[in-house]
Amino acid sequence: CGKTFISKNLAKALDNCVYLDKDDLIVLSKKIFEVAGQPFDRSSDFFHEWIRDAEYEAIMVVALDALNYNDTVLINAPFKREIRDDAWVADLRKKLAAKGAELCLIWVNTDVEVVHQRMIQRNSERDTWKLEHWDEYVATQDYTAPTNIPDMFVFNNNSEEEFQQSIGKAVAHIRGQVETEDGE
């Protein structure tokens, strides 16, 4: 969907934020696969049972700690399960409030076929299983925006034009600015 591209550009546009990418933890996850004698497969039952949640827990520990040093922390991660879990969101909001921070969720909206083409172009080993089993993979994904987070920002990213329109609006949303009708 362009999550990493958007996150990196958004971090630059915010000018002063801590940028964290959950994919940076993959190097550690690969070691867990190796030590366990498992093939590296981020779609496997092994990954989902032993690694996935630990990656999310680790990135959240780092992010919450980073709030001690900067008021804006941007995490590049899908949080697909977590954001649909009202208890998880409420707990996160509570933790953030204790740090004087607020949750700002950005949902990236991209057509499934655009996602498919971008994965092909990316040519990453983490997408191998997904591309080889595309229909099966897509059937397991929920591409609808969650409805339990009313203040969520929807970032449309099907084209360069949509990206350009969304980036400025996303920065304003994060910074709490509201555009007037005439764009001022």
Side-chain angles (χ1 to χ4, degrees):
C1 67
K3 179 179 48 63
T4 299
F5 179 79
I6 290 167
S7 297
K8 288 181 176 183
N9 280 280
L10 191 52
K12 289 176 188 173
L14 288 168
D15 194 38
N16 181 25
C17 76
V18 175
Y19 173 82
L20 302 172
D21 190 335
K22 190 183 75 63
D23 284 350
D24 289 343
L25 300 175
I26 289 175
V27 67
L28 296 173
S29 299
K30 282 183 175 182
K31 285 294 180 189
I32 296 170
F33 279 107
E34 183 182 321
V35 168
Q38 295 287 319
F40 177 68
D41 179 356
R42 295 179 61 80
S43 298
S44 68
D45 290 340
F46 177 81
F47 172 78
H48 287 282
E49 183 175 350
W50 296 103
I51 301 172
R52 185 216 181 263
D53 292 346
E55 286 183 352
Y56 280 91
E57 288 172 28
I59 204 70
M60 290 308 300
V61 166
V62 173
L64 289 168
D65 188 51
L67 285 169
N68 292 320
Y69 309 99
N70 194 306
D71 67 351
T72 305
V73 176
L74 191 148
I75 303 172
N76 175 11
F79 289 98
K80 290 189 280 187
R81 278 189 230 152
E82 293 78 5
I83 62 170
R84 296 179 192 279
D85 179 339
D86 291 337
W88 186 89
V89 172
D91 184 58
L92 177 57
R93 287 187 192 273
K94 184 178 175 183
K95 289 175 181 174
L96 291 171
K99 299 273 189 179
E102 296 177 19
L103 175 64
C104 179
L105 177 73
I106 297 175
W107 178 265
V108 179
N109 183 37
T110 309
D111 293 337
V112 174
E113 188 49 38
V114 173
V115 172
H116 189 210
Q117 291 306 312
R118 288 178 180 165
M119 274 192 200
I120 292 169
Q121 291 171 352
R122 176 166 66 185
N123 194 28
S124 171
E125 77 174 316
R126 70 179 179 215
D127 297 329
T128 302
W129 184 91
K130 295 172 192 173
L131 290 171
E132 289 174 355
H133 304 89
W134 184 251
D135 291 336
E136 182 181 348
Y137 168 70
V138 169
T140 66
Q141 302 303 301
D142 184 353
Y143 292 100
T144 61
T147 58
N148 61 325
I149 304 176
D151 54 346
M152 173 182 71
F153 180 83
V154 177
F155 193 112
N156 292 309
N157 190 37
N158 287 297
S159 66
E160 177 66 22
E161 182 180 340
E162 280 188 352
F163 170 83
Q164 292 300 330
Q165 290 173 353
S166 292
I167 193 82
K169 290 178 181 178
V171 170
H173 181 79
I174 291 167
R175 294 295 184 216
Q177 301 168 351
V178 179
E179 274 190 27
T180 61
E181 288 182 15
D182 59 10
E184 293 179 336

Coordinates of all heavy atoms in Angstrom, one line a residue, residues 83 88-89 92-93 96 101-105 149 151 173:
I83 N -5.4 -2.5 15.9 CA -6.3 -1.3 15.7 C -7.8 -1.7 15.7 O -8.6 -0.8 15.9 CB -5.9 -0.5 14.5 CG1 -6.1 -1.3 13.2 CG2 -4.5 0.1 14.7 CD1 -5.9 -0.4 12.0
W88 N -7.3 -3.0 23.2 CA -5.9 -2.6 22.9 C -5.8 -1.1 22.6 O -4.9 -0.5 23.1 CB -5.4 -3.4 21.7 CG -3.9 -3.2 21.4 CD1 -2.9 -4.0 21.9 CD2 -3.3 -2.2 20.6 NE1 -1.7 -3.5 21.5 CE2 -1.9 -2.4 20.6 CE3 -3.8 -1.2 19.8 CZ2 -1.0 -1.6 19.9 CZ3 -2.9 -0.4 19.1 CH2 -1.6 -0.6 19.2
V89 N -6.7 -0.6 21.8 CA -6.7 0.9 21.5 C -6.9 1.7 22.8 O -6.1 2.7 23.0 CB -7.7 1.2 20.4 CG1 -7.8 2.8 20.3 CG2 -7.4 0.6 19.1
L92 N -3.7 1.6 24.8 CA -2.7 2.4 24.2 C -3.0 3.9 24.5 O -2.1 4.7 24.9 CB -2.6 2.2 22.7 CG -1.6 3.1 22.0 CD1 -0.2 2.9 22.5 CD2 -1.6 2.7 20.5
R93 N -4.2 4.3 24.3 CA -4.5 5.7 24.6 C -4.2 6.1 26.1 O -3.7 7.2 26.3 CB -6.0 6.0 24.3 CG -6.3 6.0 22.8 CD -7.8 6.5 22.6 NE -8.3 6.3 21.2 CZ -8.1 7.2 20.3 NH1 -7.5 8.3 20.5 NH2 -8.6 6.9 19.1
L96 N -0.5 6.5 26.4 CA 0.0 7.7 25.7 C -0.4 8.9 26.6 O 0.4 9.8 26.7 CB -0.7 7.8 24.3 CG -0.2 6.8 23.3 CD1 -1.0 6.9 22.0 CD2 1.3 7.1 23.0
A101 N 0.7 12.4 25.6 CA 0.7 12.2 24.1 C -0.7 11.7 23.7 O -1.5 11.2 24.6 CB 1.8 11.2 23.7
E102 N -1.0 11.8 22.4 CA -2.3 11.3 21.9 C -2.0 10.3 20.7 O -1.0 10.5 20.0 CB -3.1 12.4 21.4 CG -3.5 13.4 22.4 CD -4.3 14.6 21.9 OE1 -4.8 14.5 20.7 OE2 -4.4 15.6 22.6
L103 N -2.9 9.4 20.5 CA -2.9 8.5 19.3 C -3.3 9.2 18.1 O -4.4 9.9 18.1 CB -3.7 7.3 19.6 CG -3.9 6.3 18.4 CD1 -2.5 5.7 18.1 CD2 -4.9 5.2 18.8
C104 N -2.6 9.1 17.0 CA -3.0 9.6 15.7 C -2.7 8.4 14.7 O -1.6 8.2 14.3 CB -2.2 10.8 15.3 SG -2.6 11.4 13.7
L105 N -3.8 7.7 14.4 CA -3.7 6.6 13.5 C -3.9 7.1 12.1 O -4.8 7.8 11.8 CB -4.8 5.6 13.8 CG -4.8 4.4 12.9 CD1 -3.7 3.4 13.2 CD2 -6.1 3.6 13.0
I149 N -12.1 3.9 15.4 CA -11.2 5.0 15.7 C -11.7 6.2 14.9 O -11.2 6.4 13.7 CB -9.7 4.6 15.4 CG1 -9.4 3.4 16.2 CG2 -8.8 5.8 15.7 CD1 -8.0 2.8 15.9
D151 N -11.2 9.3 14.9 CA -10.3 10.4 14.6 C -9.1 10.0 13.7 O -8.1 10.7 13.5 CB -9.7 11.1 15.9 CG -9.1 10.1 16.8 OD1 -9.3 8.9 16.7 OD2 -8.4 10.5 17.8
H173 N -3.1 17.2 10.1 CA -3.9 16.4 11.0 C -3.1 16.0 12.3 O -3.5 16.1 13.4 CB -4.4 15.1 10.3 CG -5.2 14.2 11.2 ND1 -6.5 14.5 11.4 CD2 -4.9 13.1 11.8 CE1 -7.0 13.5 12.2 NE2 -6.0 12.7 12.5

